Amino acid sequence: MKSKVSKQNEFDPKLGFEIRNPVWAFWVCLLAMIGCLVTFFAFLYLKRQNTITENTFYIGYIFLGVFLLSAVGVYAWVYEKLTYSDGVYKYYKAFGKNRIASVEEIGSVKVLTVYYHTKYGIRSKIRVFFYDKSKNILIKIIDDGTLSKNETFLKSLKYNRIKIIREEKYDC
């Protein structure tokens, strides 16, 4: 998630911030979407000209499916973000309910990193949890590592005196 603030790594409680997914993810999905749509229409044109057979035209449907998946990726990039404004954290999920937590109700923020083995080596999954004072989950975010390392986000937590808990687990 990329931070959109006036100065890099600066936190101003009056201005707030907005953190979203990396821009490269948007461009990859958009280019795949456009490329697949153009390829599908090329297959459709060749089918109308009777240059390709019906069996070959089914490959065009694969490109149409990838187009739809890429469109979902573009939608998710545009919609999903974490914002902070006026003492309130808001997480806009691409699919599901948006979550809101005010600074007064947040007891702690936990950054959970789970390491696991694959045939390509050790990988990790990162989750960020906002807990209330009774240890109930207010906001749960699946992170790719950029939110949990974002200086603006971490400074906002320190500014608001929210306890940061870092936990690592090894799933061997």
Side-chain angles (χ1 to χ4, degrees), residues 26-144:
F26 170 76
W27 286 108
V28 167
C29 290
L30 185 66
L31 290 174
M33 193 172 90
I34 293 169
C36 288
L37 191 62
V38 167
T39 305
F40 173 74
F41 281 120
F43 270 89
L44 188 62
Y45 176 76
L46 291 173
K47 172 78 170 77
R48 295 257 179 202
Q49 299 295 320
N50 288 328
T51 308
I52 59 174
T53 64
E54 185 72 31
N55 291 338
T56 308
F57 179 67
Y58 285 116
I59 296 171
Y61 288 126
I62 294 171
F63 286 100
L64 191 61
V66 174
F67 162 78
L68 292 173
L69 288 174
S70 300
V72 168
V74 168
Y75 165 77
W77 187 89
V78 168
Y79 195 76
E80 186 174 21
K81 62 187 169 187
L82 175 73
T83 62
Y84 173 82
S85 178
D86 299 327
V88 177
Y89 290 94
K90 295 180 185 175
Y91 178 55
Y92 298 91
K93 294 177 78 171
F95 306 100
K97 271 177 92 172
N98 297 334
R99 302 290 182 196
I100 298 172
S102 68
V103 171
E104 292 82 25
E105 63 184 338
I106 299 174
S108 63
V109 172
K110 180 181 189 181
V111 179
L112 174 65
T113 306
V114 178
Y115 296 99
Y116 59 96
H117 289 282
T118 66
K119 67 179 183 177
Y120 301 109
I122 297 175
R123 304 281 187 219
S124 65
K125 292 188 270 187
I126 302 172
R127 305 285 187 267
V128 179
F129 299 95
F130 287 72
Y131 289 105
D132 65 4
K133 310 240 189 287
S134 303
K135 299 292 182 193
N136 297 317
I137 296 174
L138 298 171
I139 301 175
K140 177 178 159 184
I141 301 172
I142 298 172
D143 187 24
D144 61 354

